[in-house]
Structure formats: structure tokens, C-alpha cells
Amino acid sequence: MNAHVFSDFSAVRPEPAAPASPAWHLLPLEGRFELVYEDGQGVWSRRTVAARELKLGPGRTLLGGIDPGRGGYRGFRVDRIRRLTDTATGERLEGGILDWLMARAETQRREQARDHRRRTRAQTRARREAALERLA
């Protein structure tokens, strides 16, 4: 029997893997906001957005939503939002906008999770009661 059945691969080193590009993380967010926004050329404009999400990515955060004035979905860099007004409450922010948006997204996530648990419990209770009725 040949003693050299297995090759010695210790001298062969795999190529290092390319660093993974950081992924974007999406946070659902609902609300209607009026923005004073500064574009990439430094031009300020007033915009209205029906928010859908916050996109957290490598080096930037975007507020994504429907901009009826521009006819569709748009992403707004949060660091370029100079003023944000919540049209439902009238709350107006000129600083701390990212922190406020993150807190709002987290509050909405908790509310949705709580509502989901309540609906699930109610459905379970209804199924249990229906099963008991069939047995009676």
C-alpha cells in the first residue's frame, strides 16, 4: 500500500477572503414629515415625505419614503436634513434628528410587536372557545 495517499496541503494557503461589504440595515418607520433638505450641491428645498423606513448603512443613514412633490420613492440623507417637522404632532426639530428618528422607529417596532402579540392571543382564545363549543 502506498503511504503517500494523502497529499500534504500544509504549504498551500488559501487566499484571504475579501472583506465583506457592510450591509444596510432597514428599520421600518411610519410618519409624514416636512423637511428642509440640503442636496449634494448645497441647495436647500422644502420636501414632504411619507416615511417608510430608515436605512442604516456604511457611513450614512437614509430616511426613505414617498415624496409626492417628486413623484415617487426617495431616500434623504439624514445628515442633510436641516429641519424636520412631524405633520401629525407639529413637533419641529433642527438638531438631534437621527436620534429622534431612531427612537421613533424603535417605539413603533415595540408597538407593532405588542399589537401582534395581542392579536395572536385573541386568535388563540377564539380557536380554543370554538373547539370547546364543538365538544359541547
Side-chain angles (χ1 to χ4, degrees), residues 2 4 9-10 23 29 46-47 49 52 59 62 69 79 81 92 97 116 119 121 133:
N2 190 347
H4 298 289
F9 290 103
S10 61
L29 176 68
R46 289 183 183 268
R47 310 291 273 282
V49 62
R52 298 290 182 256
L62 302 175
D79 62 324
I81 298 173
R92 184 173 164 171
I97 293 170
H116 177 73
R119 281 191 309 274
R121 284 187 207 122
E133 296 247 342

Side-chain angles (χ1 to χ4, degrees), residues 26-35 49-54 56 61 63-64 78 81 84-93 96-114:
L26 299 179
L27 299 175
L29 176 68
E30 295 177 11
R32 189 167 183 87
F33 307 118
E34 290 179 2
L35 310 176
V49 62
R52 298 290 182 256
E53 62 202 3
L54 271 180
L56 307 166
T61 300
L63 170 61
V78 173
I81 298 173
L84 180 141
T85 304
D86 182 343
T87 61
T89 65
E91 186 173 2
R92 184 173 164 171
L93 301 162
I97 293 170
L98 176 59
D99 292 337
W100 187 87
L101 289 169
M102 296 281 291
R104 182 175 176 126
E106 178 61 18
T107 299
Q108 288 178 355
R109 184 196 65 77
R110 288 181 180 168
E111 288 172 354
Q112 289 170 352
R114 186 190 63 232

Side-chain angles (χ1 to χ4, degrees), residues 115-129:
D115 292 345
H116 177 73
R117 285 190 305 272
R118 285 182 182 161
R119 281 191 309 274
T120 301
R121 284 187 207 122
Q123 290 169 351
T124 301
R125 193 171 24 256
R127 281 192 296 261
R128 188 177 307 129
E129 289 171 2

